Amino acid sequence: MGKKIIGGWRNYESRIYGILHILILLLSVFLIITISIDTFCNISFLNQGNYMEIQLWICSFFMFDFLLEFVLSDHKWKYLRNRFIFFLVSIPYLNIFSYLNLNFSSETYYFLRFIPLVRSGYALAIVVGWLSYNKISSLFISYVTMLMATVYFSSLIFFVLEHAVNPMVTRYTDALWWAFMDVTTVGSNIYAVTATGKILSVVLAALGMMMFPIFTVYVTSLLQKFNAQDKETQKP
């Protein structure tokens, strides 16, 4: 009887985690959309009270998720040690700095908008794991998704920093072209002028080079599985 109760509670707990992870992904997508719209339209988000309020509520939900999982965890100190970074990236830094009247550059405030999105990476990996049939596929899909997200975020940051000082970046499509060409390690005719842009160039190139071994492992795994199935079908 006790085992059934524990098993039922574990299933219920797993469902709660699943719902929370999906909500985290949806809220992260909403933040990405607002950041993208403001970037394309050159809107000063710091003057928008609605966005600051929405981000505060979203970050509060992220913190609630962290505290709930911490309370439900059987090994609390291990959970706190391994995932405390999730709590740090859930803090609404923009709202805190605005309340304290701390002044930073517009580029710094723009970077701070991306911090809550780090929390979505873990939820993304879990959701992808549900949709994948093995660990290799899960790893491959997760890495490709995170790589595409990094390329997109880098293009947004590159556009914000470079379009005012770099004559080769006049539209967002220029920044997107730069990001995709850089991650393939091919390179483009657009060169970074700012220090942050140069750092992003190195980061994207490094991520692109890391992609090839994972792709090789994934293809090798598929071929091995196909060969094993082919041998099984050929057995008398």
Side-chain angles (χ1 to χ4, degrees), residues 6-7 18 33 52 67 69 75 83 122-123 149 151 160 164 182 184 217:
I6 295 175
I33 292 174
M52 300 290 283
L67 293 175
E69 292 190 12
H75 307 283
R83 301 179 185 176
Y122 178 69
V151 169
V160 169
D182 214 55
T184 59
V217 171

Side-chain angles (χ1 to χ4, degrees), residues 16-64:
I16 292 177
Y17 288 158
I19 293 173
L20 289 175
H21 292 144
I22 292 175
L23 287 175
I24 287 173
L25 281 181
L26 293 177
L27 292 174
S28 299
V29 169
F30 178 76
L31 285 178
I32 292 171
I33 292 174
T34 56
I35 292 173
S36 301
I37 292 175
D38 290 355
T39 301
F40 300 151
C41 299
N42 196 24
I43 297 175
S44 177
F45 65 91
L46 292 177
N47 296 327
Q48 294 182 346
N50 291 334
Y51 174 82
M52 300 290 283
E53 183 177 353
I54 291 172
Q55 184 194 242
L56 176 62
W57 281 105
I58 291 177
C59 288
S60 299
F61 177 81
F62 289 173
M63 297 179 71
F64 166 77

Side-chain angles (χ1 to χ4, degrees), residues 148 151-152 175-187 204:
M148 291 297 101
V151 169
Y152 180 66
L176 189 61
W177 166 260
W178 162 85
F180 273 108
M181 290 297 98
D182 214 55
V183 79
T184 59
T185 68
V186 174
L204 286 178

Side-chain angles (χ1 to χ4, degrees), residues 201-217:
S201 299
V202 175
V203 171
L204 286 178
L207 289 176
M209 288 187 291
M210 291 171 58
M211 180 64 189
F212 293 107
I214 295 178
F215 179 76
T216 302
V217 171

Side-chain angles (χ1 to χ4, degrees), residues 87-171:
F87 178 79
L88 295 180
V89 299
S90 300
I91 298 175
Y93 294 102
L94 284 176
N95 301 86
I96 294 175
F97 293 160
S98 177
Y99 178 79
L100 297 176
N101 293 321
L102 298 177
N103 295 321
F104 297 95
S105 65
S106 58
E107 291 81 5
T108 301
Y109 279 114
Y110 187 77
F111 279 120
L112 291 175
R113 299 186 76 180
F114 289 92
I115 291 181
L117 297 178
V118 177
R119 177 63 184 87
S120 64
Y122 178 69
L124 175 64
I126 292 179
V127 174
V128 168
W130 297 340
L131 304 176
S132 303
Y133 57 88
N134 59 41
K135 292 183 177 180
I136 297 296
S137 297
S138 177
L139 175 64
F140 179 73
I141 296 174
S142 298
Y143 187 82
V144 169
T145 305
M146 296 302 294
L147 180 65
M148 291 297 101
T150 303
V151 169
Y152 180 66
F153 296 152
S154 297
S155 67
L156 290 177
I157 296 172
F158 188 80
F159 176 70
V160 169
L161 297 179
E162 296 276 337
H163 81 280
V165 296
N166 193 336
M168 293 180 289
V169 182
T170 58
R171 299 172 297 178

